[in-house]
Amino acid sequence: MKNPALILPRKLPRVSFGRPSNRAVILIGLAAYAIVSWIILNSPDTPPIRFRLDPVRLVEASAVLKLHVVGALSAFGIGAALMMGVKGRGLHKRLGYAWVTAMAVTAISSFFLTGLNGTQFSWIHGLSAWTIIGLPMGITAARRKDIAGHRKQMTGMFTGGMLVAGLFTFLPGRMMWSIFFGA
Protein backbone atom coordinates (compact mmCIF):
# COMPACT_ATOMS: atom_id res chain seq x y z
CA MET A 1 0.00 0.00 0.00
CA LYS A 2 1.28 3.46 -0.91
CA ASN A 3 1.86 6.14 1.68
CA PRO A 4 -1.17 8.55 1.50
CA ALA A 5 1.10 11.52 2.11
CA LEU A 6 2.97 10.74 -1.12
CA ILE A 7 -0.11 10.56 -3.36
CA LEU A 8 -0.35 13.71 -5.44
CA PRO A 9 -3.60 14.88 -6.98
CA ARG A 10 -3.85 14.33 -10.71
CA LYS A 11 -4.89 17.89 -11.35
CA LEU A 12 -3.99 20.86 -9.18
CA PRO A 13 -6.89 23.14 -8.24
CA ARG A 14 -7.09 26.39 -10.17
CA VAL A 15 -6.70 29.61 -8.28
CA SER A 16 -8.93 32.32 -9.67
CA PHE A 17 -8.01 35.98 -9.47
CA GLY A 18 -11.33 37.28 -10.75
CA ARG A 19 -13.32 40.15 -9.30
CA PRO A 20 -12.17 41.39 -5.89
CA SER A 21 -14.37 40.61 -2.94
CA ASN A 22 -16.62 43.23 -1.44
CA ARG A 23 -14.34 43.43 1.60
CA ALA A 24 -11.36 44.29 -0.58
CA VAL A 25 -13.30 47.01 -2.38
CA ILE A 26 -14.48 48.44 0.93
CA LEU A 27 -10.96 48.38 2.39
CA ILE A 28 -9.51 50.06 -0.70
CA GLY A 29 -12.23 52.73 -0.57
CA LEU A 30 -11.67 53.38 3.12
CA ALA A 31 -7.91 53.60 2.56
CA ALA A 32 -8.40 56.11 -0.27
CA TYR A 33 -10.77 58.14 1.89
CA ALA A 34 -8.30 58.10 4.80
CA ILE A 35 -5.43 59.21 2.57
CA VAL A 36 -7.40 62.06 0.98
CA SER A 37 -8.69 63.17 4.40
CA TRP A 38 -5.17 63.04 5.87
CA ILE A 39 -3.81 65.19 3.05
CA ILE A 40 -6.58 67.76 3.48
CA LEU A 41 -6.32 67.80 7.27
CA ASN A 42 -2.54 68.30 7.16
CA SER A 43 -2.75 71.33 4.90
CA PRO A 44 -1.59 74.54 6.60
CA ASP A 45 -5.01 76.28 6.49
CA THR A 46 -7.00 73.52 8.23
CA PRO A 47 -8.48 74.51 11.62
CA PRO A 48 -8.47 72.04 14.53
CA ILE A 49 -11.05 69.25 14.46
CA ARG A 50 -13.75 69.00 17.07
CA PHE A 51 -17.13 67.34 16.92
CA ARG A 52 -20.07 69.70 17.07
CA LEU A 53 -23.42 69.81 15.34
CA ASP A 54 -23.92 73.14 13.56
CA PRO A 55 -26.72 72.92 10.99
CA VAL A 56 -26.53 76.65 10.15
CA ARG A 57 -24.93 76.01 6.75
CA LEU A 58 -27.64 73.53 5.87
CA VAL A 59 -30.44 75.85 7.03
CA GLU A 60 -28.96 78.70 4.98
CA ALA A 61 -28.38 76.47 1.92
CA SER A 62 -30.36 76.63 -1.32
CA ALA A 63 -33.61 74.74 -1.78
CA VAL A 64 -31.93 72.39 -4.27
CA LEU A 65 -29.29 71.43 -1.71
CA LYS A 66 -31.93 70.83 0.96
CA LEU A 67 -33.89 68.67 -1.49
CA HIS A 68 -30.70 66.75 -2.29
CA VAL A 69 -29.95 66.10 1.40
CA VAL A 70 -33.55 65.04 2.15
CA GLY A 71 -33.51 62.70 -0.86
CA ALA A 72 -30.16 61.21 0.13
CA LEU A 73 -31.13 60.66 3.76
CA SER A 74 -34.46 59.12 2.70
CA ALA A 75 -32.75 56.85 0.17
CA PHE A 76 -30.17 55.78 2.75
CA GLY A 77 -32.78 54.93 5.39
CA ILE A 78 -35.14 53.14 3.01
CA GLY A 79 -32.23 51.36 1.30
CA ALA A 80 -30.83 50.10 4.60
CA ALA A 81 -34.30 48.80 5.55
CA LEU A 82 -34.62 47.06 2.17
CA MET A 83 -31.18 45.46 2.46
CA MET A 84 -32.01 44.04 5.89
CA GLY A 85 -35.65 43.15 5.25
CA VAL A 86 -37.48 40.28 3.63
CA LYS A 87 -37.31 40.36 -0.14
CA GLY A 88 -40.08 39.71 -2.63
CA ARG A 89 -43.03 40.83 -0.51
CA GLY A 90 -45.48 43.65 -1.12
CA LEU A 91 -43.74 45.86 1.43
CA HIS A 92 -40.43 45.36 -0.39
CA LYS A 93 -42.05 46.50 -3.63
CA ARG A 94 -43.63 49.61 -2.08
CA LEU A 95 -40.45 50.56 -0.24
CA GLY A 96 -38.50 49.82 -3.42
CA TYR A 97 -40.47 52.36 -5.42
CA ALA A 98 -40.03 54.91 -2.62
CA TRP A 99 -36.28 54.20 -2.66
CA VAL A 100 -36.14 54.59 -6.46
CA THR A 101 -37.94 57.94 -6.16
CA ALA A 102 -35.58 59.14 -3.42
CA MET A 103 -32.52 58.01 -5.43
CA ALA A 104 -33.83 59.76 -8.56
CA VAL A 105 -34.44 62.99 -6.61
CA THR A 106 -30.94 62.78 -5.14
CA ALA A 107 -29.27 62.03 -8.48
CA ILE A 108 -31.15 64.66 -10.50
CA SER A 109 -30.70 67.38 -7.87
CA SER A 110 -26.94 66.72 -7.81
CA PHE A 111 -26.65 68.10 -11.34
CA PHE A 112 -27.70 71.51 -10.01
CA LEU A 113 -24.98 71.39 -7.33
CA THR A 114 -21.28 71.98 -7.87
CA GLY A 115 -18.48 72.91 -5.56
CA LEU A 116 -16.02 70.03 -5.46
CA ASN A 117 -14.50 71.26 -8.75
CA GLY A 118 -15.52 74.89 -8.49
CA THR A 119 -18.36 75.39 -10.97
CA GLN A 120 -17.60 72.19 -12.94
CA PHE A 121 -19.06 68.71 -12.50
CA SER A 122 -16.97 66.25 -10.48
CA TRP A 123 -16.59 62.47 -10.61
CA ILE A 124 -19.47 62.22 -8.11
CA HIS A 125 -21.77 63.45 -10.90
CA GLY A 126 -20.70 60.34 -12.80
CA LEU A 127 -22.26 58.28 -10.01
CA SER A 128 -25.43 60.33 -10.42
CA ALA A 129 -25.53 59.66 -14.16
CA TRP A 130 -24.93 55.96 -13.49
CA THR A 131 -27.80 55.99 -10.99
CA ILE A 132 -30.23 57.61 -13.45
CA ILE A 133 -29.34 54.97 -16.04
CA GLY A 134 -29.29 52.07 -13.57
CA LEU A 135 -32.60 52.70 -11.80
CA PRO A 136 -34.79 51.75 -14.80
CA MET A 137 -32.51 48.79 -15.51
CA GLY A 138 -32.97 47.50 -11.95
CA ILE A 139 -36.74 47.94 -12.12
CA THR A 140 -36.86 46.18 -15.50
CA ALA A 141 -34.83 43.27 -14.12
CA ALA A 142 -37.30 42.86 -11.24
CA ARG A 143 -40.30 42.96 -13.60
CA ARG A 144 -38.68 40.30 -15.77
CA LYS A 145 -38.14 38.15 -12.66
CA ASP A 146 -34.35 38.46 -13.07
CA ILE A 147 -33.76 38.62 -9.33
CA ALA A 148 -29.97 38.27 -9.60
CA GLY A 149 -29.79 41.17 -12.07
CA HIS A 150 -32.15 43.26 -9.94
CA ARG A 151 -30.09 42.58 -6.82
CA LYS A 152 -26.85 43.45 -8.62
CA GLN A 153 -28.20 46.74 -10.01
CA MET A 154 -29.84 47.95 -6.83
CA THR A 155 -27.06 46.85 -4.47
CA GLY A 156 -24.52 48.52 -6.75
CA MET A 157 -26.46 51.78 -6.71
CA PHE A 158 -26.87 51.66 -2.95
CA THR A 159 -23.16 50.99 -2.47
CA GLY A 160 -21.93 53.50 -5.04
CA GLY A 161 -24.56 56.18 -4.69
CA MET A 162 -25.19 56.08 -0.97
CA LEU A 163 -22.07 54.70 0.69
CA VAL A 164 -19.24 55.87 -1.57
CA ALA A 165 -20.67 59.25 -2.57
CA GLY A 166 -22.05 59.74 0.95
CA LEU A 167 -18.66 59.05 2.49
CA PHE A 168 -17.03 61.64 0.26
CA THR A 169 -19.52 64.30 1.37
CA PHE A 170 -17.73 64.11 4.71
CA LEU A 171 -14.33 65.10 3.32
CA PRO A 172 -12.77 67.98 5.27
CA GLY A 173 -13.89 71.30 3.83
CA ARG A 174 -17.17 70.04 2.39
CA MET A 175 -20.53 71.12 3.81
CA MET A 176 -21.37 67.92 5.71
CA TRP A 177 -17.91 68.04 7.30
CA SER A 178 -18.49 71.61 8.42
CA ILE A 179 -21.90 70.72 9.91
CA PHE A 180 -20.41 68.00 12.13
CA PHE A 181 -16.74 68.93 12.54
CA GLY A 182 -16.35 72.56 11.41
CA ALA A 183 -14.48 75.18 13.35
Side-chain angles (χ1 to χ4, degrees):
M1 183 170 164
K2 294 182 179 180
N3 183 350
L6 298 176
I7 299 175
L8 297 174
R10 291 184 185 167
K11 194 173 183 183
L12 294 174
R14 284 185 83 176
V15 177
S16 174
F17 294 102
R19 294 177 51 184
S21 70
N22 288 339
R23 287 186 197 149
V25 171
I26 290 169
L27 289 175
I28 291 168
L30 288 175
Y33 180 80
I35 290 168
V36 170
S37 294
W38 183 81
I39 291 169
I40 293 170
L41 289 173
N42 285 321
S43 68
D45 299 335
T46 303
I49 301 168
R50 60 185 172 84
F51 178 78
R52 67 172 179 80
L53 182 60
D54 183 18
V56 171
R57 285 193 64 194
L58 184 59
V59 170
E60 295 173 349
S62 68
V64 173
L65 186 76
K66 290 176 187 174
L67 179 68
H68 182 75
V69 170
V70 167
L73 291 174
S74 300
F76 182 77
I78 295 168
L82 285 168
M83 294 287 194
M84 292 185 287
V86 177
K87 312 298 188 275
R89 306 280 184 210
L91 179 62
H92 179 85
K93 187 175 181 179
R94 287 189 297 276
L95 284 176
Y97 279 114
W99 182 78
V100 165
T101 302
M103 286 292 286
V105 165
T106 304
I108 292 168
S109 66
S110 75
F111 291 111
F112 298 95
L113 303 171
T114 57
L116 195 58
N117 283 347
T119 59
Q120 303 295 318
F121 287 142
S122 70
W123 62 271
I124 293 177
H125 291 95
L127 290 175
S128 296
W130 169 58
T131 299
I132 292 169
I133 293 168
L135 286 171
M137 292 170 59
I139 293 169
T140 301
R143 287 184 176 168
R144 291 182 179 164
K145 307 290 187 221
D146 178 11
I147 303 307
H150 172 71
R151 182 184 309 118
K152 181 179 176 183
Q153 284 289 332
M154 298 309 191
T155 303
M157 279 184 282
F158 183 79
T159 303
M162 292 284 90
L163 301 181
V164 173
L167 184 65
F168 279 91
T169 64
F170 282 92
L171 278 175
R174 301 211 56 211
M175 188 178 82
M176 295 308 284
W177 172 268
S178 68
I179 289 172
F180 289 96
F181 303 105

